[in-house]
Amino acid sequence: MMNIQQSETICAILRVVAGRGNNLHEVENRKGEKYLASMPTKFRKNVWIKRGDFVIVDPIVEGAKVKAEISVVLYPEQIKYIKREDKWPAEFDPKTAQSSEAASVNGLADAMESNLHLEEAGSDYSESDSDNDDDIFVNTNRPVITCYYTDESSTEEEDEGSGEGEV
């Protein structure tokens, strides 16, 4: 396990939002600002990071688009250690994030439920509408394979039966 160096050169703990290709990752700071961070050569093809992982970055002052370079990828054990030292950003704490997410989800659920009641009151929904498969998403990434099966024994009997009458 890599030791976390506690020094003044550590800029910030950031959350990885998305991979943008060419060893660039979109990261989010504790204020919610998003920008690009580059993966240094020493990590490439050795360390894999995904959306939701946390990293420590060093700022790139002259960077216009890429504003930071990843210096440490934080593993779960390192995150626990930082939390025990009370140096973990409160904005990235899952308890705080879950409570705000829960409030927004509850508000969304209430809005959806009220819309559902409004639609039910004025709609002529019937069971036959749900049997229609026209609105189902079709995956265009897979080829459509159509197989035709025939019962060879029945076609042979028909051929034999029609062949006997003809001479």
Side-chain angles (χ1 to χ4, degrees), residues 33-58:
E33 299 168 350
K34 295 179 182 178
Y35 51 90
L36 293 178
S38 67
M39 176 76 76
T41 309
K42 67 180 180 179
F43 289 148
R44 294 178 187 172
K45 297 185 181 178
N46 293 323
V47 176
W48 299 94
I49 60 176
K50 62 185 183 310
R51 183 176 51 239
D53 286 349
F54 293 95
V55 294
I56 296 176
V57 299
D58 294 327

PDB file of all heavy atoms in Angstrom, residues 33-58:
ATOM      1  N   GLU A  33     -16.767  22.470  -8.965  1.00  0.00           N
ATOM      2  CA  GLU A  33     -16.155  22.897 -10.223  1.00  0.00           C
ATOM      3  C   GLU A  33     -15.510  21.695 -10.893  1.00  0.00           C
ATOM      4  O   GLU A  33     -14.832  20.902 -10.242  1.00  0.00           O
ATOM      5  CB  GLU A  33     -15.104  23.972  -9.969  1.00  0.00           C
ATOM      6  CG  GLU A  33     -15.664  25.221  -9.328  1.00  0.00           C
ATOM      7  CD  GLU A  33     -14.574  26.154  -8.830  1.00  0.00           C
ATOM      8  OE1 GLU A  33     -13.394  25.729  -8.809  1.00  0.00           O
ATOM      9  OE2 GLU A  33     -14.906  27.279  -8.476  1.00  0.00           O
ATOM     10  N   LYS A  34     -15.706  21.592 -12.209  1.00  0.00           N
ATOM     11  CA  LYS A  34     -15.168  20.454 -12.953  1.00  0.00           C
ATOM     12  C   LYS A  34     -14.106  20.942 -13.932  1.00  0.00           C
ATOM     13  O   LYS A  34     -14.277  21.977 -14.570  1.00  0.00           O
ATOM     14  CB  LYS A  34     -16.280  19.736 -13.722  1.00  0.00           C
ATOM     15  CG  LYS A  34     -17.311  19.109 -12.811  1.00  0.00           C
ATOM     16  CD  LYS A  34     -18.402  18.433 -13.603  1.00  0.00           C
ATOM     17  CE  LYS A  34     -19.453  17.860 -12.659  1.00  0.00           C
ATOM     18  NZ  LYS A  34     -20.546  17.233 -13.389  1.00  0.00           N
ATOM     19  N   TYR A  35     -13.025  20.183 -14.035  1.00  0.00           N
ATOM     20  CA  TYR A  35     -11.966  20.467 -14.998  1.00  0.00           C
ATOM     21  C   TYR A  35     -11.194  19.197 -15.278  1.00  0.00           C
ATOM     22  O   TYR A  35     -11.466  18.149 -14.685  1.00  0.00           O
ATOM     23  CB  TYR A  35     -11.062  21.605 -14.526  1.00  0.00           C
ATOM     24  CG  TYR A  35     -10.520  21.468 -13.128  1.00  0.00           C
ATOM     25  CD1 TYR A  35      -9.320  20.818 -12.889  1.00  0.00           C
ATOM     26  CD2 TYR A  35     -11.208  22.011 -12.046  1.00  0.00           C
ATOM     27  CE1 TYR A  35      -8.826  20.694 -11.605  1.00  0.00           C
ATOM     28  CE2 TYR A  35     -10.712  21.906 -10.761  1.00  0.00           C
ATOM     29  CZ  TYR A  35      -9.517  21.252 -10.551  1.00  0.00           C
ATOM     30  OH  TYR A  35      -9.021  21.133  -9.280  1.00  0.00           O
ATOM     31  N   LEU A  36     -10.236  19.263 -16.199  1.00  0.00           N
ATOM     32  CA  LEU A  36      -9.485  18.086 -16.614  1.00  0.00           C
ATOM     33  C   LEU A  36      -8.215  17.920 -15.802  1.00  0.00           C
ATOM     34  O   LEU A  36      -7.552  18.896 -15.453  1.00  0.00           O
ATOM     35  CB  LEU A  36      -9.128  18.182 -18.105  1.00  0.00           C
ATOM     36  CG  LEU A  36     -10.297  18.120 -19.077  1.00  0.00           C
ATOM     37  CD1 LEU A  36      -9.795  18.286 -20.503  1.00  0.00           C
ATOM     38  CD2 LEU A  36     -11.050  16.824 -18.941  1.00  0.00           C
ATOM     39  N   ALA A  37      -7.872  16.667 -15.536  1.00  0.00           N
ATOM     40  CA  ALA A  37      -6.613  16.313 -14.876  1.00  0.00           C
ATOM     41  C   ALA A  37      -5.952  15.236 -15.726  1.00  0.00           C
ATOM     42  O   ALA A  37      -6.623  14.350 -16.247  1.00  0.00           O
ATOM     43  CB  ALA A  37      -6.863  15.811 -13.467  1.00  0.00           C
ATOM     44  N   SER A  38      -4.638  15.327 -15.852  1.00  0.00           N
ATOM     45  CA  SER A  38      -3.921  14.353 -16.682  1.00  0.00           C
ATOM     46  C   SER A  38      -3.357  13.235 -15.816  1.00  0.00           C
ATOM     47  O   SER A  38      -3.002  13.445 -14.651  1.00  0.00           O
ATOM     48  CB  SER A  38      -2.797  15.043 -17.457  1.00  0.00           C
ATOM     49  OG  SER A  38      -1.807  15.502 -16.564  1.00  0.00           O
ATOM     50  N   MET A  39      -3.273  12.065 -16.415  1.00  0.00           N
ATOM     51  CA  MET A  39      -2.675  10.908 -15.759  1.00  0.00           C
ATOM     52  C   MET A  39      -1.199  10.893 -16.136  1.00  0.00           C
ATOM     53  O   MET A  39      -0.861  10.830 -17.315  1.00  0.00           O
ATOM     54  CB  MET A  39      -3.364   9.632 -16.237  1.00  0.00           C
ATOM     55  CG  MET A  39      -2.765   8.362 -15.709  1.00  0.00           C
ATOM     56  SD  MET A  39      -3.200   8.028 -14.013  1.00  0.00           S
ATOM     57  CE  MET A  39      -4.856   7.474 -14.188  1.00  0.00           C
ATOM     58  N   PRO A  40      -0.286  10.959 -15.162  1.00  0.00           N
ATOM     59  CA  PRO A  40       1.137  10.965 -15.502  1.00  0.00           C
ATOM     60  C   PRO A  40       1.599   9.635 -16.096  1.00  0.00           C
ATOM     61  O   PRO A  40       0.946   8.600 -15.927  1.00  0.00           O
ATOM     62  CB  PRO A  40       1.830  11.245 -14.172  1.00  0.00           C
ATOM     63  CG  PRO A  40       0.839  10.920 -13.136  1.00  0.00           C
ATOM     64  CD  PRO A  40      -0.521  11.049 -13.746  1.00  0.00           C
ATOM     65  N   THR A  41       2.716   9.686 -16.773  1.00  0.00           N
ATOM     66  CA  THR A  41       3.242   8.511 -17.472  1.00  0.00           C
ATOM     67  C   THR A  41       3.488   7.346 -16.530  1.00  0.00           C
ATOM     68  O   THR A  41       3.285   6.193 -16.894  1.00  0.00           O
ATOM     69  CB  THR A  41       4.554   8.884 -18.192  1.00  0.00           C
ATOM     70  OG1 THR A  41       4.316  10.062 -18.960  1.00  0.00           O
ATOM     71  CG2 THR A  41       4.999   7.787 -19.116  1.00  0.00           C
ATOM     72  N   LYS A  42       3.897   7.615 -15.300  1.00  0.00           N
ATOM     73  CA  LYS A  42       4.207   6.530 -14.356  1.00  0.00           C
ATOM     74  C   LYS A  42       2.982   5.700 -13.981  1.00  0.00           C
ATOM     75  O   LYS A  42       3.109   4.562 -13.562  1.00  0.00           O
ATOM     76  CB  LYS A  42       4.885   7.083 -13.102  1.00  0.00           C
ATOM     77  CG  LYS A  42       3.984   7.961 -12.247  1.00  0.00           C
ATOM     78  CD  LYS A  42       4.725   8.466 -11.029  1.00  0.00           C
ATOM     79  CE  LYS A  42       3.829   9.345 -10.167  1.00  0.00           C
ATOM     80  NZ  LYS A  42       4.521   9.822  -8.990  1.00  0.00           N
ATOM     81  N   PHE A  43       1.770   6.274 -14.126  1.00  0.00           N
ATOM     82  CA  PHE A  43       0.555   5.545 -13.792  1.00  0.00           C
ATOM     83  C   PHE A  43      -0.075   4.848 -14.990  1.00  0.00           C
ATOM     84  O   PHE A  43      -0.864   3.934 -14.828  1.00  0.00           O
ATOM     85  CB  PHE A  43      -0.499   6.476 -13.195  1.00  0.00           C
ATOM     86  CG  PHE A  43      -0.182   6.960 -11.811  1.00  0.00           C
ATOM     87  CD1 PHE A  43      -0.588   8.220 -11.401  1.00  0.00           C
ATOM     88  CD2 PHE A  43       0.504   6.171 -10.909  1.00  0.00           C
ATOM     89  CE1 PHE A  43      -0.313   8.676 -10.128  1.00  0.00           C
ATOM     90  CE2 PHE A  43       0.781   6.616  -9.635  1.00  0.00           C
ATOM     91  CZ  PHE A  43       0.368   7.868  -9.250  1.00  0.00           C
ATOM     92  N   ARG A  44       0.238   5.295 -16.181  1.00  0.00           N
ATOM     93  CA  ARG A  44      -0.433   4.781 -17.374  1.00  0.00           C
ATOM     94  C   ARG A  44      -0.193   3.290 -17.525  1.00  0.00           C
ATOM     95  O   ARG A  44       0.909   2.799 -17.361  1.00  0.00           O
ATOM     96  CB  ARG A  44       0.052   5.514 -18.617  1.00  0.00           C
ATOM     97  CG  ARG A  44      -0.347   6.968 -18.592  1.00  0.00           C
ATOM     98  CD  ARG A  44       0.172   7.708 -19.780  1.00  0.00           C
ATOM     99  NE  ARG A  44      -0.105   9.145 -19.599  1.00  0.00           N
ATOM    100  CZ  ARG A  44       0.353  10.078 -20.386  1.00  0.00           C
ATOM    101  NH1 ARG A  44       1.107   9.767 -21.424  1.00  0.00           N
ATOM    102  NH2 ARG A  44       0.066  11.334 -20.143  1.00  0.00           N
ATOM    103  N   LYS A  45      -1.238   2.557 -17.857  1.00  0.00           N
ATOM    104  CA  LYS A  45      -1.243   1.103 -18.038  1.00  0.00           C
ATOM    105  C   LYS A  45      -0.924   0.332 -16.761  1.00  0.00           C
ATOM    106  O   LYS A  45      -0.774  -0.879 -16.788  1.00  0.00           O
ATOM    107  CB  LYS A  45      -0.286   0.678 -19.156  1.00  0.00           C
ATOM    108  CG  LYS A  45      -0.686   1.221 -20.508  1.00  0.00           C
ATOM    109  CD  LYS A  45       0.212   0.687 -21.592  1.00  0.00           C
ATOM    110  CE  LYS A  45      -0.201   1.263 -22.934  1.00  0.00           C
ATOM    111  NZ  LYS A  45       0.646   0.817 -24.013  1.00  0.00           N
ATOM    112  N   ASN A  46      -0.786   1.014 -15.635  1.00  0.00           N
ATOM    113  CA  ASN A  46      -0.533   0.355 -14.349  1.00  0.00           C
ATOM    114  C   ASN A  46      -1.668   0.583 -13.358  1.00  0.00           C
ATOM    115  O   ASN A  46      -1.968  -0.282 -12.548  1.00  0.00           O
ATOM    116  CB  ASN A  46       0.768   0.857 -13.730  1.00  0.00           C
ATOM    117  CG  ASN A  46       1.972   0.440 -14.534  1.00  0.00           C
ATOM    118  OD1 ASN A  46       2.011  -0.640 -15.078  1.00  0.00           O
ATOM    119  ND2 ASN A  46       2.951   1.331 -14.616  1.00  0.00           N
ATOM    120  N   VAL A  47      -2.257   1.762 -13.402  1.00  0.00           N
ATOM    121  CA  VAL A  47      -3.297   2.128 -12.452  1.00  0.00           C
ATOM    122  C   VAL A  47      -4.556   2.438 -13.238  1.00  0.00           C
ATOM    123  O   VAL A  47      -4.523   3.168 -14.229  1.00  0.00           O
ATOM    124  CB  VAL A  47      -2.874   3.369 -11.632  1.00  0.00           C
ATOM    125  CG1 VAL A  47      -3.994   3.808 -10.717  1.00  0.00           C
ATOM    126  CG2 VAL A  47      -1.625   3.068 -10.833  1.00  0.00           C
ATOM    127  N   TRP A  48      -5.660   1.864 -12.811  1.00  0.00           N
ATOM    128  CA  TRP A  48      -6.943   2.110 -13.455  1.00  0.00           C
ATOM    129  C   TRP A  48      -7.824   2.864 -12.485  1.00  0.00           C
ATOM    130  O   TRP A  48      -7.970   2.470 -11.331  1.00  0.00           O
ATOM    131  CB  TRP A  48      -7.607   0.790 -13.835  1.00  0.00           C
ATOM    132  CG  TRP A  48      -6.792   0.019 -14.800  1.00  0.00           C
ATOM    133  CD1 TRP A  48      -5.884  -0.949 -14.509  1.00  0.00           C
ATOM    134  CD2 TRP A  48      -6.773   0.161 -16.208  1.00  0.00           C
ATOM    135  NE1 TRP A  48      -5.303  -1.416 -15.656  1.00  0.00           N
ATOM    136  CE2 TRP A  48      -5.836  -0.753 -16.725  1.00  0.00           C
ATOM    137  CE3 TRP A  48      -7.455   0.976 -17.102  1.00  0.00           C
ATOM    138  CZ2 TRP A  48      -5.582  -0.878 -18.082  1.00  0.00           C
ATOM    139  CZ3 TRP A  48      -7.209   0.837 -18.445  1.00  0.00           C
ATOM    140  CH2 TRP A  48      -6.282  -0.069 -18.919  1.00  0.00           C
ATOM    141  N   ILE A  49      -8.391   3.962 -12.959  1.00  0.00           N
ATOM    142  CA  ILE A  49      -9.341   4.693 -12.127  1.00  0.00           C
ATOM    143  C   ILE A  49     -10.661   4.757 -12.870  1.00  0.00           C
ATOM    144  O   ILE A  49     -10.707   4.716 -14.098  1.00  0.00           O
ATOM    145  CB  ILE A  49      -8.837   6.107 -11.746  1.00  0.00           C
ATOM    146  CG1 ILE A  49      -8.592   6.964 -12.983  1.00  0.00           C
ATOM    147  CG2 ILE A  49      -7.606   6.013 -10.900  1.00  0.00           C
ATOM    148  CD1 ILE A  49      -8.197   8.380 -12.650  1.00  0.00           C
ATOM    149  N   LYS A  50     -11.713   4.841 -12.101  1.00  0.00           N
ATOM    150  CA  LYS A  50     -13.051   4.870 -12.691  1.00  0.00           C
ATOM    151  C   LYS A  50     -13.845   5.999 -12.060  1.00  0.00           C
ATOM    152  O   LYS A  50     -13.391   6.653 -11.118  1.00  0.00           O
ATOM    153  CB  LYS A  50     -13.748   3.530 -12.503  1.00  0.00           C
ATOM    154  CG  LYS A  50     -13.967   3.133 -11.059  1.00  0.00           C
ATOM    155  CD  LYS A  50     -14.559   1.746 -10.962  1.00  0.00           C
ATOM    156  CE  LYS A  50     -14.874   1.321  -9.573  1.00  0.00           C
ATOM    157  NZ  LYS A  50     -13.861   1.460  -8.585  1.00  0.00           N
ATOM    158  N   ARG A  51     -15.029   6.208 -12.594  1.00  0.00           N
ATOM    159  CA  ARG A  51     -15.905   7.263 -12.101  1.00  0.00           C
ATOM    160  C   ARG A  51     -16.210   7.023 -10.627  1.00  0.00           C
ATOM    161  O   ARG A  51     -16.528   5.920 -10.211  1.00  0.00           O
ATOM    162  CB  ARG A  51     -17.182   7.236 -12.940  1.00  0.00           C
ATOM    163  CG  ARG A  51     -18.171   8.300 -12.617  1.00  0.00           C
ATOM    164  CD  ARG A  51     -19.369   8.273 -13.553  1.00  0.00           C
ATOM    165  NE  ARG A  51     -19.964   6.943 -13.649  1.00  0.00           N
ATOM    166  CZ  ARG A  51     -20.088   6.261 -14.768  1.00  0.00           C
ATOM    167  NH1 ARG A  51     -19.662   6.748 -15.903  1.00  0.00           N
ATOM    168  NH2 ARG A  51     -20.649   5.078 -14.772  1.00  0.00           N
ATOM    169  N   GLY A  52     -16.056   8.062  -9.823  1.00  0.00           N
ATOM    170  CA  GLY A  52     -16.337   7.963  -8.397  1.00  0.00           C
ATOM    171  C   GLY A  52     -15.095   7.754  -7.547  1.00  0.00           C
ATOM    172  O   GLY A  52     -15.174   7.868  -6.325  1.00  0.00           O
ATOM    173  N   ASP A  53     -13.950   7.430  -8.154  1.00  0.00           N
ATOM    174  CA  ASP A  53     -12.710   7.283  -7.397  1.00  0.00           C
ATOM    175  C   ASP A  53     -12.202   8.659  -6.965  1.00  0.00           C
ATOM    176  O   ASP A  53     -12.593   9.684  -7.529  1.00  0.00           O
ATOM    177  CB  ASP A  53     -11.639   6.583  -8.229  1.00  0.00           C
ATOM    178  CG  ASP A  53     -11.895   5.090  -8.377  1.00  0.00           C
ATOM    179  OD1 ASP A  53     -12.778   4.570  -7.673  1.00  0.00           O
ATOM    180  OD2 ASP A  53     -11.216   4.457  -9.188  1.00  0.00           O
ATOM    181  N   PHE A  54     -11.339   8.657  -5.967  1.00  0.00           N
ATOM    182  CA  PHE A  54     -10.776   9.906  -5.463  1.00  0.00           C
ATOM    183  C   PHE A  54      -9.287   9.941  -5.746  1.00  0.00           C
ATOM    184  O   PHE A  54      -8.597   8.915  -5.664  1.00  0.00           O
ATOM    185  CB  PHE A  54     -11.038  10.039  -3.959  1.00  0.00           C
ATOM    186  CG  PHE A  54     -12.490  10.215  -3.639  1.00  0.00           C
ATOM    187  CD1 PHE A  54     -13.279   9.136  -3.301  1.00  0.00           C
ATOM    188  CD2 PHE A  54     -13.080  11.467  -3.701  1.00  0.00           C
ATOM    189  CE1 PHE A  54     -14.622   9.288  -3.021  1.00  0.00           C
ATOM    190  CE2 PHE A  54     -14.420  11.633  -3.424  1.00  0.00           C
ATOM    191  CZ  PHE A  54     -15.200  10.542  -3.078  1.00  0.00           C
ATOM    192  N   VAL A  55      -8.792  11.133  -6.077  1.00  0.00           N
ATOM    193  CA  VAL A  55      -7.383  11.318  -6.400  1.00  0.00           C
ATOM    194  C   VAL A  55      -6.881  12.586  -5.714  1.00  0.00           C
ATOM    195  O   VAL A  55      -7.658  13.471  -5.362  1.00  0.00           O
ATOM    196  CB  VAL A  55      -7.160  11.433  -7.925  1.00  0.00           C
ATOM    197  CG1 VAL A  55      -7.491  10.131  -8.626  1.00  0.00           C
ATOM    198  CG2 VAL A  55      -7.963  12.564  -8.532  1.00  0.00           C
ATOM    199  N   ILE A  56      -5.570  12.635  -5.521  1.00  0.00           N
ATOM    200  CA  ILE A  56      -4.906  13.845  -5.058  1.00  0.00           C
ATOM    201  C   ILE A  56      -4.148  14.390  -6.253  1.00  0.00           C
ATOM    202  O   ILE A  56      -3.452  13.637  -6.952  1.00  0.00           O
ATOM    203  CB  ILE A  56      -3.956  13.557  -3.883  1.00  0.00           C
ATOM    204  CG1 ILE A  56      -4.769  13.058  -2.686  1.00  0.00           C
ATOM    205  CG2 ILE A  56      -3.164  14.805  -3.519  1.00  0.00           C
ATOM    206  CD1 ILE A  56      -3.936  12.658  -1.503  1.00  0.00           C
ATOM    207  N   VAL A  57      -4.291  15.672  -6.516  1.00  0.00           N
ATOM    208  CA  VAL A  57      -3.698  16.266  -7.707  1.00  0.00           C
ATOM    209  C   VAL A  57      -2.740  17.395  -7.352  1.00  0.00           C
ATOM    210  O   VAL A  57      -2.837  17.994  -6.282  1.00  0.00           O
ATOM    211  CB  VAL A  57      -4.780  16.797  -8.670  1.00  0.00           C
ATOM    212  CG1 VAL A  57      -5.687  15.685  -9.154  1.00  0.00           C
ATOM    213  CG2 VAL A  57      -5.597  17.893  -8.037  1.00  0.00           C
ATOM    214  N   ASP A  58      -1.825  17.642  -8.272  1.00  0.00           N
ATOM    215  CA  ASP A  58      -0.952  18.811  -8.211  1.00  0.00           C
ATOM    216  C   ASP A  58      -1.422  19.781  -9.277  1.00  0.00           C
ATOM    217  O   ASP A  58      -1.711  19.365 -10.404  1.00  0.00           O
ATOM    218  CB  ASP A  58       0.496  18.414  -8.482  1.00  0.00           C
ATOM    219  CG  ASP A  58       1.058  17.513  -7.385  1.00  0.00           C
ATOM    220  OD1 ASP A  58       0.661  17.696  -6.223  1.00  0.00           O
ATOM    221  OD2 ASP A  58       1.868  16.638  -7.707  1.00  0.00           O
TER     222      ASP A  58
END
